[in-house]
Amino acid sequence: ANQQHTNEPSDSNTSSKKFSLKNTIQTNFGDDYVFQIVPKEDWTSMAVSLSSNTVKLYSPVTGQFVGECSGRHSDSINQILFFGNVLHSCSSDGTIRTWDTRSYQQVSCLNAGPSQEVFSFSFGGSDDYLLAAGCKSQILFWDWRNKKQVACLEESHMEDVTQVHFVPDQKNKLVSASIDGLICTFDTSGEINDDDHLESVMNVGTSIGKVGLFGKKYEKLWCLTHIETLSIWDLNDSRLEANFEDARPLASNSWALDQVDYFVDCHYSAVDDNLWVIGATNSGNLGYFPVAYSGGMRSILSPEAVLHGGHTGVVRSVLASPTVKTGLNQTNGVFGWTGGEDGRLCCWLSDESSAIDHSWISTSLVERYPKNRKKSRHRPY
């Protein structure tokens, strides 16, 4: 049956916007699930990494499948990133691979070395040619022009580096985060080494899953941990601004649905300088919860958006349409896409548009549960 739900749960918070489910796509008919959804900048394509070590591409406006990048990674894909027509993917097989999304062919491959795993990567540096990668307990750097490794930081972290991000407004500044509970910042100008280039260390105190930069000048950082706590940091002076050790109960108490079991991501709108934490239930319901922490106040408010009735399991990734960030409406009313461990991609509409083309909705959506489902959701890979 077509998975279309437009009836909203009557018991959920009346002040939040409800979003109707436009459609769900089963990513294939096997047991794989969705890790991450990333958009091409112009919103003409989105890439979806799957647990089958494959990346599939879809149109974010129509949901149509357009092609796949596959057959090269031999282990889990941990992060994907678009750069123009080029898609990059890093994996626990120790490689960062680059694909031309017009031909779906691999065009280059960097290898971090034997028994390495690559959990995250970022492009930056003064001319955007520096590629940083978070590996087991090291951060490796390559010059993207000649694909040569130029540096390795190995003293700053003791365990897997789950996140690396160059700061958009300070291109030489790199932020890293690890299972060891530390967030580090580095200055990557000149010859990069541990001694001279480590700028600051922030101790979160527990294993870090995901961090993101936000604020008008990307001067702030949000951090989600593997025990579902949230903290907000000021990057310029390495100061903890707010610590939500009770983020889950706070979010659970601010809506009428089941308790919030985990956080998927955070979302920032530069237009009105708002931060949301995206909480979800094990049965697949999601809420966009505003995070408030100014003037000593610290709260997680009632969700401004509830995505209900699309997923049947843990949600791994949320892609919000550019409309949500910039107000540009080139997305046919699409609020965003979500993907999860049920192998589904769900498309959410932000208006009750009656002129939706239903012709591409799959008529054979089979609910399948991964047989070899990984027991712990809290390993980042």
Side-chain angles (χ1 to χ4, degrees), residues 274-292:
N274 282 344
L275 182 71
W276 293 268
V277 64
I278 302 172
T281 68
N282 286 334
S283 59
N285 295 319
L286 293 125
Y288 272 66
F289 297 87
V291 181

Side-chain angles (χ1 to χ4, degrees), residues 250-318:
L250 284 175
S252 299
N253 291 340
S254 72
W255 74 346
L257 297 177
D258 294 347
Q259 69 167 40
V260 171
D261 293 304
Y262 55 95
F263 295 109
V264 186
D265 209 338
C266 286
H267 180 78
Y268 174 71
S269 165
V271 179
D272 39 23
D273 195 24
N274 282 344
L275 182 71
W276 293 268
V277 64
I278 302 172
T281 68
N282 286 334
S283 59
N285 295 319
L286 293 125
Y288 272 66
F289 297 87
V291 181
Y293 58 94
S294 59
M297 182 182 75
R298 195 188 60 91
S299 56
I300 291 177
L301 309 173
S302 293
E304 288 181 1
V306 174
L307 310 181
H308 171 85
H311 289 284
T312 56
V314 168
V315 178
R316 283 293 193 105
S317 188
V318 176

Side-chain angles (χ1 to χ4, degrees), residues 64-79:
Q64 204 163 1
F65 171 75
V66 291
E68 67 178 69
C69 303
S70 60
R72 297 299 187 117
H73 282 301
S74 59
D75 206 338
S76 292
I77 295 173
N78 296 317
Q79 189 192 337

